[in-house]
Amino acid sequence: MADSRHPPVFPMPRTAFVLLMVSVTLAVLPHVQRVPPWLLAVFGIVLVWRIQVFRQRLRFPPKWARLFMVCGGVLGVVYYHGTIFGPDAGVALLISAYLFKQLEMYTRRDAFLIIILSFFVLATEFLFSTSLFTSLYVFVVLVVITAALIALNMTDTSIALWRPMRAAFVTVLQAVPLLLVFFFLFPRIGPIWDLGMKSTIARTGLSDRMTPGDVADLSQSAKLAFRIEFEGEIPAPRDRYWRALIFDRFDGKTWSAQGDPQSIPFSPNRLNVNGEALRYRVLLEPTGNNWLPAMPWSQLSGVKHRTSNGLVHYAINVVDSAISYQVETFPDYQYETEGMPRDMWGVYTTLPPLGNARTYALAKDLYRRTGRNPERMTASILRWFNEERFIYTLKPPKLGSDSMDDFLFGTRKGFCAHYAGAFVFMMRAAGIPARMIGGYQGGEAHPIGKYLLVHQYDAHAWAEYWVNGKGWVRVDPTAAIAPERIEMGSLRDSLDELSLLDSPFSKMGLRNLPFMSELRLMIDYVDYLWFKNVVSFDSGVQHKLLQRILGEVTPQRIAMLLGVCGGVVVLGLGLWMVLSQRRLLELDLADKLYLRFQRKLSQAGLQRETGEGVMSFSLRVQQRFPDQSDTINKISCLYSNIKYSNRSEKRDTDKKLTSESDSIAALNQAIKNLKL
Amino acid sequence: MVGHIPTTILGVFVSTSVSVLIDALAKVLLGKEEQIKLALSCLLAKGHLLVEDLPGMGKTTLSHALAKVLGLEYQRIQFTSDLLPADILGTSIFNQASTEFEFRPGPIFTQVLLADEINRATPKTQGALLEAMEERQITVDGKTYPLPQPFFVIATQNPITQMGTYPLPESQLDRFLMRISLGYPDPTVERKLLKGFNPRHDMDQLQAVTNQAELAQLQQRVTKIFVSDALLDYVQRILAFTRQSNRFSFGLSPRAGMALVQCAQAYAFVAGRDHVIPEDVQSILPAVAEHRLAGSQDVTGHEGQRLVDSVLKQVDVMPGR
């Protein structure tokens, strides 16, 4: 027993142990994708070890082993994440500590600590997802952990599993009204510390650098990018260009968006707007970036942002959680019709001077032949794309060092960025200002909800060139090669095996079933409603609500409202409990009167035992109060006769007590007369 | 606590013949009024009785006296390990004169059968008796013979000496409506016995108080004793308690529930009331339920008493709790 220098082990009830182990498993489960793989192995080993300890097949690990585990855990996290800070590494560290604590669970207090840690680990899931599914899952696990807590407090060791589960479910349900009050009224306190959530969001779809030549496989994702609720009609697919960023630099291989955010700000007096506005709301999923996609030209409200000269909106804060904003778009607009700042002119016409000689030559030749007219130049480039054997594909071959020459005269296979890039290159080679726009195109109109779904696979690149008198003009070269990409509104059909890569359906091979696609849309609709009504209930919306209720929003008034609502909830619960107990009792009048009699006696210090019959109790009471013997006997006999004797028969034989109401009245009188 | 309720103040209904019966039995069985009432209730509810006690506690006296005051025919069988079913039921014997098999009825053809030390016989013999108890008829060589009316079995068994015995299984114990034990006499009664009082002597002078027809009438009246809904609620709470509490390895069966009500009716009748009150149920509960219950960790099979105590203490007679 050299290594068992730990406190005496508390004999945990089997039910509590089972529930605790299930709680631990469920709390860790959603993090499985995120934590280092070795932690999963640790998870399995610890679980098996703890169960074997419970079955008394193994012992608790000795101190040196625990020390080794903790050091190993910290080092493992640092090795995998490079840090112990930030949500990913922090959660991994927390989970490793949480798991190791299982092997140190000797006393009852340790078990309670594990319960609290379980709640905490469960809550960290909200750092990564706030979807409806996550919330439901958290609710279910909340019930299980609470059940473990209840089971730990039960004295009966052989209790059935469903009992603590039911108790926990009722407890959690009782917390729901309070939850609602807090959800609506408790002030949203902003983050006090920066969690650095940026790192946690996988970047799919758009990126601020694009190297068409390197990408042999366009990374496609079926993840949702954003949803859009239109106030009016949803515009046609070919008009749905959600602008997110401007690729203004090209170094011969890579297009990058570096100039625009820092460039001169948007200036309203260079803008001409005509026609009607489109109004819609964008519900943006977390991106880890600042871009706020919108159709040009738009005015945004509901989010802190600035607008660049490239007509792109940048949020002041990184979008690391789902947000929503209101947009007013004027599709009929002109910008910088009268020219642009000199340095911008330079940016939008600059190309790497070396390489791509054939493309240069072609561009200059075309420009000369079209009479130095940018619009006719554009038309002839697009015609050229269309007439030559260019192929639209998501799996283009790699390009050599002269990527444009290689693409335009060699492979001739590419996706949107290839064509937009080539177009911009040729325009710039001819000296016309041009730029590549990154964003999303199309989207899928939801058949049930009146909104549009834009996925990461809707990411798109197109081009703009500048022409004097008209300003910036949009051109989508991809439309010249694969018009269906633009007309259909979505790439999904041509994408085939790529499109739904991360959707669970594709893995099951169920993707092609029509009802699965309907199911997917249904699920999305529910998620949309959840997002719209719950997740996007942020401090701004809350403030509006409070304003409507309180008029002026001051901390005192909020506190008052919270107090009132909390009080109402608690009162309501209390009332419900009392009433439901009443209903459970199903007391008739005689029982109630007898209870009054009992209360009178208990004030005099005499209590009826649970299993004590009325007549037996009566004898006991008569011994205690001999002078009231007759009244007590009368009360007991009346009650007993009302409850147990055959009253219909009584009516014939005993004329004195003709009906039940007479007996009740007599009982009532007798109890009133009882003076102890 | 129970059994001392003045009968006159509750329904005015005193059955003279029952009180005479009790008085007569009390003369032979000193200081055992409660057991007499229970045994009488059992017979009035048309059930068989199992008396479990040590030798020399008056089991035989009780059963003998019961048969005698009720004016019934009486037979006694001492059960031994070599007792065969035919020794109880009877056999067919070949009659030389008529050249036919002729049935010679066994001792079971009687109105009151005292089966002494029933657990000494082999399961086969026990089975033959218990089957007869249930069916109230026997079958020998393919022919069925009805048993006399009424037919009571009063069996005795010794709880301590288990050597060379075949304990009755639960399913067979269930055939007995009640199981009672007599217990030691109190000091004053014991003094009387020591001074030379001989119950056997008094037994000879015991006269039949009722006859068969009167007994049938009493049994008929027992079934008319009123049982209110409030009382049935209480009985159902008891049943539910034994089924839900995890201290019981199994709950009381519906048959046990019916037995509870019948016995409570008989007990209320014996007590001279025209309706059943919870105290009646409480009085007969140990006798009716103890041998039908086993605890979840019961090894000895004698945990019934503790369990019934918990029922009495924890099941409220009032609705609600």
Side-chain angles (χ1 to χ4, degrees), chain A residues 313-330:
Chain A
H313 308 279
Y314 297 93
I316 303 294
N317 300 314
V318 168
V319 183
D320 49 18
S321 62
I323 61 161
S324 69
Y325 50 90
Q326 193 69 36
V327 185
E328 200 179 13
T329 293
F330 297 89

Side-chain angles (χ1 to χ4, degrees), chain A residues 65-263:
Chain A
R66 300 200 306 269
L67 201 67
F68 172 78
M69 285 181 206
V70 170
C71 293
V74 174
L75 286 179
V77 170
V78 171
Y79 177 75
Y80 187 81
H81 288 289
T83 174
I84 53 167
F85 301 108
D88 278 319
V91 167
L93 201 65
L94 176 68
I95 289 177
S96 74
Y98 172 58
L99 291 176
F100 293 144
K101 185 68 197 171
Q102 314 288 326
L103 295 179
E104 223 180 38
M105 184 169 64
Y106 315 120
T107 62
R108 209 178 157 84
R109 205 187 54 179
D110 291 328
F112 285 132
L113 185 66
I114 300 243
I115 298 268
I116 293 165
L117 279 175
S118 302
F119 282 126
F120 197 78
V121 169
L122 183 64
T124 57
E125 175 59 13
F126 281 127
L127 290 177
F128 305 99
S129 169
T130 50
S131 73
L132 178 64
F133 178 75
T134 306
S135 307
L136 288 176
Y137 180 82
V138 166
F139 182 84
V140 169
V141 182
L142 205 62
V143 172
V144 178
I145 300 174
T146 312
L149 181 61
I150 290 169
L152 268 174
N153 281 301
M154 280 182 162
T155 44
D156 202 337
T157 50
S158 56
I159 199 92
L161 206 63
W162 63 269
R163 282 186 180 217
M165 283 298 282
R166 196 181 60 173
F169 184 68
V170 171
T171 309
V172 173
L173 270 194
Q174 281 170 343
V176 166
L178 217 57
L179 173 130
L180 291 178
V181 169
F182 276 94
F183 174 78
F184 283 111
L185 302 180
F186 198 79
R188 297 281 194 280
I189 299 162
I192 321 166
W193 61 90
D194 182 19
L195 281 174
M197 289 303 294
K198 252 182 277 183
S199 59
T200 65
I201 291 144
R203 288 165 195 221
T204 44
L206 274 190
S207 135
D208 58 359
R209 296 173 70 80
M210 202 180 266
T211 313
D214 269 4
V215 186
D217 248 339
L218 183 59
S219 109
Q220 288 289 321
S221 157
K223 260 201 175 135
L224 189 71
F226 48 91
R227 298 187 183 91
I228 298 148
E229 294 176 286
F230 281 93
E231 276 176 29
E233 286 296 303
I234 299 180
R238 65 174 166 281
D239 295 329
R240 301 200 291 245
Y241 282 89
W242 315 102
R243 196 182 180 93
L245 71 166
I246 300 223
F247 296 103
D248 48 5
R249 309 275 161 106
F250 184 60
D251 65 0
K253 278 187 81 124
T254 303
W255 292 90
S256 54
Q258 12 180 307
D260 191 60
Q262 285 87 34
S263 73

Side-chain angles (χ1 to χ4, degrees), chain A residues 256-400:
Chain A
S256 54
Q258 12 180 307
D260 191 60
Q262 285 87 34
S263 73
I264 22 177
F266 160 78
S267 146
N269 39 21
R270 272 176 272 170
L271 178 79
N272 301 322
V273 168
N274 299 308
E276 290 276 307
L278 275 170
R279 286 185 182 81
Y280 52 91
R281 188 170 185 78
V282 178
L283 312 168
L284 184 64
E285 296 287 310
T287 61
N289 279 303
N290 295 65
W291 317 315
L292 301 173
M295 284 154 80
W297 173 85
S298 297
Q299 268 181 316
L300 269 55
S301 54
V303 60
K304 277 186 191 162
H305 72 284
R306 60 198 164 77
T307 307
S308 77
N309 199 43
L311 304 185
V312 170
H313 308 279
Y314 297 93
I316 303 294
N317 300 314
V318 168
V319 183
D320 49 18
S321 62
I323 61 161
S324 69
Y325 50 90
Q326 193 69 36
V327 185
E328 200 179 13
T329 293
F330 297 89
D332 189 4
Y333 76 99
Q334 286 177 322
Y335 191 61
E336 292 185 321
T337 47
E338 305 300 325
M340 67 179 87
R342 176 149 290 282
D343 48 344
M344 290 319 293
W345 182 281
V347 167
Y348 291 130
T349 51
T350 300
L351 282 178
L354 296 173
N356 298 316
R358 286 185 72 184
T359 314
Y360 265 110
L362 175 73
K364 283 183 173 146
D365 181 48
L366 271 179
Y367 194 44
R368 201 179 50 250
R369 279 195 283 153
T370 52
R372 301 195 175 274
N373 182 322
E375 282 160 307
R376 270 194 281 167
M377 167 90 175
T378 303
S380 66
I381 293 174
L382 294 184
R383 196 163 52 243
W384 186 65
F385 280 159
N386 188 263
E387 283 167 1
E388 298 292 323
R389 285 183 54 83
F390 282 96
I391 292 164
Y392 185 89
T393 173
L394 289 168
K395 293 176 174 174
K398 286 199 174 190
L399 300 175

Side-chain angles (χ1 to χ4, degrees), chain B residues 68-127:
Chain B
K68 210 151 183 196
V69 294
L70 290 172
L72 300 175
E73 211 182 304
Y74 171 85
Q75 285 277 5
R76 174 179 167 166
I77 309 173
Q78 177 65 46
F79 276 49
T80 55
S81 55
D82 56 357
L83 192 75
L84 293 172
D87 296 337
I88 302 171
L89 306 179
T91 42
S92 298
I93 291 172
F94 188 70
N95 190 331
Q96 298 267 326
S98 63
T99 66
E100 269 182 357
F101 277 99
E102 200 174 75
F103 181 63
R104 289 276 178 83
I108 199 167
F109 286 87
T110 182
Q111 287 172 318
V112 176
L113 179 73
L114 175 61
D116 228 350
E117 300 203 74
I118 189 171
N119 55 346
R120 293 224 167 266
T122 55
K124 193 176 179 184
T125 312
Q126 289 175 357

